[in-house]
Amino acid sequence: SDWITPKTFYQRTMAAGGTSPRIAVRLGLIYSKEGDYEKAEKIYRRVLELWPDYPVARNNLADVLELRGKRAEAEVIFAAATSQAGEQRKEYPHTWAAALNLARLRHLDHDDQDALAILERAHTDYPQIWEIVRFEAELLRESKGPEAALHLIVEFTQENWWHHDANVSLGRLLWEENKVADAMDTFRFASWLDIREVE
């Protein structure tokens, strides 16, 4: 019965003394998805008491704090995690998420100049992370038009020709630029990359 659901497994593992940062973070994610942000916050804070340098818990805590309306504290955590990402990225693969989340907060505050500066630094450090490239391109498209964003998506798709979402984004930018034939070719190519995707 311990394995009946992931939530049950994580809860019972922790109750039996098998707490690890990964188990705790997984349970926190479940609570967060269920909308129980208070429980998720308690778990992430406990993880960071025991493992203060665990970036996944720190990033997730900041996410939950933002959802609970504790935006100032979330921003401080995202900023600290972003500054430490260079040291931690060898050990943890998703340290880029803090920079992305900090840029999103700046965008919500209508400070796209700072958001773009954060994304440009993150793009330099993580050139192959689609989420960073996509958000940077979207902010450029919104503020300066599709042509300003085009080079980012073209560069990414040249190095990641197989990436469905990047090719769809490229097709949209080409369409906005009124390069209809190129857009059609790009959309056709994207449709071959993922035959199940209907977009």
Side-chain angles (χ1 to χ4, degrees):
S1 66
D2 288 347
W3 295 88
I4 197 163
T5 65
K7 181 179 178 179
T8 301
F9 172 74
Y10 298 136
Q11 286 173 328
R12 290 186 182 176
T13 300
M14 289 176 67
T19 303
S20 73
R22 293 180 113 184
I23 293 285
V25 163
R26 296 271 185 206
L27 182 57
L29 283 170
I30 290 170
Y31 286 139
S32 186
K33 285 179 184 174
E34 291 176 347
D36 196 341
Y37 304 127
E38 186 177 351
K39 280 186 182 176
E41 179 183 343
K42 284 180 183 174
I43 284 180
Y44 295 140
R45 287 193 189 279
R46 181 65 180 142
V47 170
L48 290 170
E49 284 175 18
L50 299 171
W51 297 277
D53 295 326
Y54 193 53
V56 179
R58 196 170 37 214
N59 191 55
N60 290 1
L61 173 61
D63 277 337
V64 166
L65 290 171
E66 184 186 356
L67 291 167
R68 296 195 72 199
K70 301 177 180 181
R71 193 125 173 247
E73 187 180 359
E75 193 165 331
V76 168
I77 293 170
F78 282 139
T82 300
S83 68
Q84 294 170 357
E87 304 157 17
Q88 295 180 327
R89 67 180 169 190
K90 294 174 189 168
E91 197 170 339
Y92 300 101
H94 292 282
T95 53
W96 52 266
L100 181 64
N101 287 323
L102 183 59
R104 284 188 176 138
L105 286 180
R106 294 289 195 270
H107 175 63
L108 289 172
D109 290 337
H110 306 290
D111 188 356
D112 284 348
Q113 186 174 353
D114 198 29
L116 281 167
I118 292 165
L119 290 167
E120 284 171 14
R121 285 191 301 273
H123 188 180
T124 300
D125 292 338
Y126 306 95
Q128 297 303 312
I129 300 298
W130 169 240
E131 290 83 352
I132 289 172
V133 174
R134 177 178 54 199
F135 193 45
E136 183 180 2
E138 184 57 28
L139 290 186
L140 285 171
R141 187 189 70 75
E142 286 178 10
S143 60
K144 299 179 181 176
E147 188 177 354
L150 199 56
H151 75 281
L152 286 174
I153 304 298
V154 166
E155 182 182 296
F156 187 87
T157 54
Q158 285 174 344
E159 294 187 23
N160 303 278
W161 61 266
W162 47 266
H163 200 288
H164 174 265
D165 291 347
N167 278 283
V168 170
S169 294
L170 177 58
R172 286 186 180 137
L173 289 173
L174 291 167
W175 186 269
E176 285 185 48
E177 283 285 284
N178 205 27
K179 298 178 178 176
V180 177
D182 291 340
M184 294 291 285
D185 288 343
T186 304
F187 286 137
R188 187 174 293 111
F189 180 67
S191 75
W192 297 335
L193 292 174
D194 189 341
I195 60 171
R196 293 171 193 84
E197 177 58 64
V198 298
E199 189 173 0

